[in-house]
Amino acid sequence: MLNIFREYKMIAIGCFILSVILLTAVFAPALTSYGYEQVDLKNRNDAPSAAHLMGTDSFGRDVWTRVLYGARVSLTVSLTSVAVGLAIGAFWGLLCGFFKGKIDFAVGRVMDIFMSFPALLFSLLIGAALGPSILNMCLSVGIPLAPIFYRVTRGAALSVGEHAYIASAKSMGSGSFRTMFRHVLPNTAPQLFVVLSSSMGGAITAESALGYLGLGIPKPTPSWGMVINEGRQYIFDAPWVTGFGGLMVVLTILGFNLLGDGLRDYLDPKLKG
Amino acid sequence: MKNMPGDSAEDILTLRNVCKYYKDRKGSGHLLKAVDGVSFSVRRGETFGLVGESGCGKSTLSRVILQLEPVSGGSVAFEGRDFARIGRRELRAMRKEMQIVFQDPYDSIDPRMTLEQAVEEPMAIHRYDRSLRKTRIKKLFEDVGLPVNMLNRYPHQLSGGQRQRLCIARSLALSPKLLVCDEAVSALDVSIQAQILNLMCDLKEEHNLTYIFISHNLGVIKFISDRIAVMYFGKIVELASRNEIFTHYLHPYTCALLSAAPVLHPSMRRERMLLTGDVPNLYNPPAGCVFCDRCVYADSRCRSEAPVLRGYGEDRQAACHYAGELPLKVNWGGAPC
Ligand SMILES: Nc1ncnc2c1ncn2[C@@H]1O[C@H](COP(=O)(O)OP(=O)(O)O)[C@@H](O)[C@H]1O
Ligand SMILES: [Mg+2]
């Protein structure tokens, strides 16, 4: 395990960033003496200070506290929705790219319909239909991600399927599903990792956009999206609200991207000694 | 007629009028006849060579033989059992009996598997006992001449020759009776080719194998085969034993193929029978003999009537209206191998 970190710096840095964020989310209550809803009208839009590490927002709430608690929601939502999108998209993509033919045509047209909606509009529709809750949030952010995973997986599966090792496995009596999961899926993983880490950022952004439109997590539980959007109105008076909220989003995306790229290299047998 | 496909006990594989047509990729509705009416049988224990220019349908035929693709017409029978008539489960069991070695050793092993996993895979699929697998892997590694300490390496760490040895080990794991080698040495350096060919000859004895050896290289085919079939645009045009085909070829295409092979020494330079005319269009083959556009002896009969593969004495077949009547001549200078 330590060897991986030494050899793959990107994995090490990514893991470090993500685990710090994760730990602060888990131990949020221990890391602050304020409540995330604790309003202090005397200290509105205060700049960062010893009392308020990241300043306060327009209600005088401690931004550090809101960012800590917000990590819980944002991480849960982004991870779960990416998992939802990945599960749906990669499964159908693998099936279509492997079997081709009629099933590919049918699923492809359905995905075309999905892709013809802008993702955000799609999220809005699902969100509006399901109503606000964390689980529905995950679905409404995750389902629009599925076509991206579908497309990437299908393309990768099609090209992997051309290799002689797939025909070779078949000639040895490997069944379709065994070949698909043992040979095709692992060899599409490098392409999947690239979209995986970048869609993590998209999920966090989508979550904040939905929050802004009032279809996010039911208030008062803060999320990073909510922190950013609440700070937008006061961006010139109190830039730290949006700034620190955004910084967390950027750091998380960076962490995921580093981890994703590192894992892709790590999983490539050609780069192993 | 002797040697026409039959169900004699010495035949391990029988092809009857096998066809494989592909739809035009551009959707014009034309059929591409990659393999068109091929019939022959392979005898137990022999090495059956299949030679022909690139694109004449050799790989397609091998895929059809191994049931990697369904036939468009005709039948393939292994040890008398017709593949079209057996169930899925039986087909899976029959896959153990015949295996294939592909041309490109860089492409035919999953890059994510260690050498051990690659050789173990077929045995895992067919639920071999675990301890048996381990001993068999070691044995197979020794048989093909790979050091056992390479078990945990990855395929990309091997040279081309070593990889092809690995592919051979993998294909022998299930103790098949028939091994189809589709251009198995064509991607290798000439010196490595010779090593692999020798290895295959040794393995044939040791494992009681029957080979179908496919190549566009006459030298390789001549070295390894007992009987040779010459394929031209989806059809077998001549089939004979090795000695016959290099001396008493009956088909003008065989003659052209032999004269096209490079000669090693200038003193062996010879009259060449040059190929003229265009390669036939696979979508729109000539009405008569497929070779008629390029054949210097072609007449009106050749252009209108397709010749069938007929027997000419012991172990010789040719698909030419004028087989045996043409003044074909080429000084075969020996294999460039
Ligand atoms: N899956 C396929 N779809 C359409 N055409 C194919 C397919 N596979 C092979 N062909 C065509 O069939 C012909 C014979 O190909 P192939 O069997 O690979 O020849 P060879 O192995 O003798 O070089 C070629 O013209 C090729 O383009
Ligand atoms: Mg070929």
Side-chain angles (χ1 to χ4, degrees):
Chain A
M1 192 67 189
L2 281 175
N3 272 337
I4 299 179
F5 287 156
R6 206 168 299 141
E7 238 177 282
Y8 298 90
K9 297 259 159 31
M10 290 208 281
I11 297 185
I13 301 170
C15 277
F16 176 74
I17 296 176
L18 291 178
S19 42
V20 168
I21 294 174
L22 199 68
L23 286 175
T24 57
V26 171
F27 296 107
L31 294 170
T32 175
S33 50
Y34 303 96
Y36 57 80
E37 263 193 287
Q38 198 176 322
V39 175
D40 180 358
L41 293 177
K42 266 182 258 156
N43 296 311
R44 297 168 60 192
N45 290 339
D46 270 4
S49 63
H52 299 286
L53 279 178
M54 292 185 177
T56 62
D57 68 6
S58 57
F59 294 97
R61 296 175 297 194
D62 182 44
V63 175
W64 166 244
T65 309
R66 290 183 66 75
V67 162
L68 285 186
Y69 281 95
R72 293 180 167 189
V73 171
S74 292
L75 288 181
T76 315
V77 169
S78 58
L79 282 172
T80 317
S81 49
V82 167
V84 167
L86 177 72
I88 302 174
F91 176 74
W92 288 108
L94 192 61
L95 221 59
C96 291
F98 184 75
F99 287 108
K100 302 180 232 173
K102 287 192 183 110
I103 184 173
D104 182 30
F105 184 79
V107 176
R109 296 302 74 75
V110 175
M111 289 294 171
D112 282 349
I113 297 171
F114 280 174
M115 272 191 275
S116 62
F117 288 96
L120 187 60
L121 185 66
F122 198 17
S123 296
L124 274 175
L125 285 176
I126 301 171
L130 297 176
S133 82
I134 296 221
L135 179 68
N136 293 347
M137 181 76 169
C138 297
L139 291 178
S140 58
V141 172
I143 293 174
L145 290 175
I148 305 167
F149 288 116
Y150 164 79
R151 222 170 30 188
V152 172
T153 315
R154 177 180 172 272
L158 276 176
S159 77
V160 170
E162 294 296 312
H163 288 286
Y165 57 80
I166 301 298
S168 172
K170 190 176 172 190
S171 76
M172 313 212 134
S174 175
S176 296
F177 279 87
R178 188 187 173 280
T179 313
M180 205 162 83
F181 287 105
R182 283 286 178 82
H183 295 286
V184 184
L185 186 61
N187 284 291
T188 58
Q191 272 113 308
L192 266 182
F193 266 109
V194 180
V195 262
L196 199 61
S197 44
S198 61
S199 63
M200 211 64 96
I204 295 179
T205 324
E207 181 267 327
S208 57
L210 284 187
Y212 179 66
L213 294 167
L215 285 167
I217 312 302
K219 286 187 180 178
T221 324
S223 72
W224 289 340
M226 209 180 283
V227 173
I228 294 171
N229 284 314
E230 285 171 353
R232 268 167 41 137
Q233 284 163 288
Y234 304 94
I235 191 150
F236 295 113
D237 301 327
W240 44 86
V241 183
T242 317
F244 282 115
L247 182 69
M248 294 308 282
V249 174
V250 169
L251 277 178
T252 312
I253 295 175
L254 180 72
F256 277 123
N257 281 338
L258 285 172
L259 186 64
D261 287 358
L263 276 178
R264 192 193 50 204
D265 291 350
Y266 171 67
L267 290 176
D268 187 348
K270 294 205 182 67
L271 298 177
K272 265 179 224 167
Chain B
M1 262 185 278
K2 261 196 156 181
N3 309 319
M4 283 307 269
D7 278 324
S8 92
E10 58 170 344
D11 289 342
I12 189 165
L13 183 84
T14 307
L15 274 69
R16 279 201 194 86
N17 204 21
V18 169
C19 302
K20 180 71 201 178
Y21 301 158
Y22 291 111
K23 283 204 195 83
D24 180 12
R25 289 195 176 109
K26 291 174 208 115
S28 72
H30 284 299
L31 285 179
L32 187 151
K33 301 188 172 179
V35 173
D36 193 17
V38 167
S39 304
F40 60 78
S41 39
V42 178
R43 295 174 198 153
R44 196 179 299 280
E46 78 173 341
T47 297
F48 185 89
L50 186 62
V51 69
E53 288 170 286
S54 300
C56 72
K58 305 183 296 296
S59 299
T60 307
L61 187 60
S62 71
R63 285 198 301 272
V64 166
I65 291 175
L66 281 138
Q67 305 297 302
L68 294 173
E69 290 178 33
V71 291
S72 312
S75 69
V76 182
F78 182 81
E79 296 190 321
R81 285 171 296 175
D82 185 343
F83 279 117
R85 300 226 182 95
I86 61 170
R88 255 180 183 218
R89 187 167 292 187
E90 223 181 321
L91 173 63
R92 227 174 91 95
M94 273 175 77
R95 289 206 184 283
K96 282 168 69 173
E97 316 257 322
M98 47 192 217
Q99 292 288 314
I100 183 165
V101 178
F102 291 101
Q103 169 167 15
D104 186 356
Y106 288 90
D107 196 49
S108 38
I109 308 160
D110 189 335
R112 280 170 196 280
M113 287 191 151
T114 62
L115 307 199
E116 182 174 21
Q117 288 167 334
V119 178
E120 186 172 6
E121 186 186 16
M123 295 189 272
I125 292 172
H126 290 274
R127 308 237 160 75
Y128 279 38
D129 184 58
R130 259 174 212 285
S131 56
L132 175 69
R133 287 186 216 169
K134 298 291 168 217
T135 45
R136 231 184 122 60
I137 291 171
K138 292 224 171 67
K139 166 88 170 51
L140 287 164
F141 262 61
E142 279 161 20
D143 283 357
V144 300
L146 279 176
V148 179
N149 62 17
M150 282 188 162
L151 280 173
N152 293 318
R153 299 262 182 100
Y154 283 88
H156 71 272
Q157 296 168 313
L158 304 186
S159 68
Q162 285 175 323
R163 273 186 180 223
Q164 203 55 297
R165 284 173 196 269
L166 180 69
C167 292
I168 295 170
R170 197 170 128 87
S171 63
L172 292 179
L174 297 172
S175 326
K177 293 176 182 158
L178 175 70
L179 198 59
V180 177
C181 308
D182 183 5
E183 306 268 11
V185 295
S186 305
L188 305 173
D189 292 347
V190 176
S191 60
I192 310 288
Q193 274 189 9
Q195 286 176 17
I196 299 288
L197 286 174
N198 284 322
L199 171 71
M200 299 192 89
C201 290
D202 296 345
L203 289 172
K204 188 182 164 203
E205 297 302 310
E206 228 172 289
H207 292 254
N208 289 322
L209 293 166
T210 304
Y211 285 149
I212 295 182
F213 207 95
I214 299 176
S215 181
H216 63 268
N217 184 333
L218 268 175
V220 168
I221 287 286
K222 188 185 185 192
F223 174 81
I224 201 155
S225 311
D226 299 318
R227 284 196 306 150
I228 296 170
V230 180
M231 198 168 174
Y232 184 74
F233 281 83
K235 291 186 190 291
I236 302 289
V237 295
E238 182 157 7
L239 195 162
S241 69
R242 170 183 47 185
N243 296 335
E244 289 283 326
I245 214 154
F246 283 95
T247 49
H248 299 113
Y249 39 83
L250 296 170
H251 199 285
Y253 178 66
T254 312
C255 173
L257 201 64
L258 293 182
S259 16
V263 210
L264 283 183
H265 200 269
S267 70
M268 289 198 272
R269 199 181 295 143
R270 67 216 169 197
E271 295 266 307
R272 283 173 184 245
M273 175 180 155
L274 291 175
L275 286 174
T276 53
D278 270 341
V279 174
N281 184 348
L282 274 178
Y283 290 111
N284 196 5
C289 174
V290 273
F291 190 53
C292 71
D293 290 340
R294 297 168 86 185
C295 179
V296 290
Y297 306 105
D299 63 9
S300 61
R301 185 179 175 207
C302 299
R303 279 179 237 286
S304 57
E305 185 189 336
V308 293
L309 202 59
R310 275 177 302 172
Y312 292 87
E314 191 81 8
D315 242 355
R316 286 171 78 181
Q317 287 169 259
C320 176
H321 293 309
Y322 302 108
E325 299 166 20
L326 301 172
L328 302 174
K329 197 156 169 60
V330 51
N331 300 314
W332 170 246
C337 173

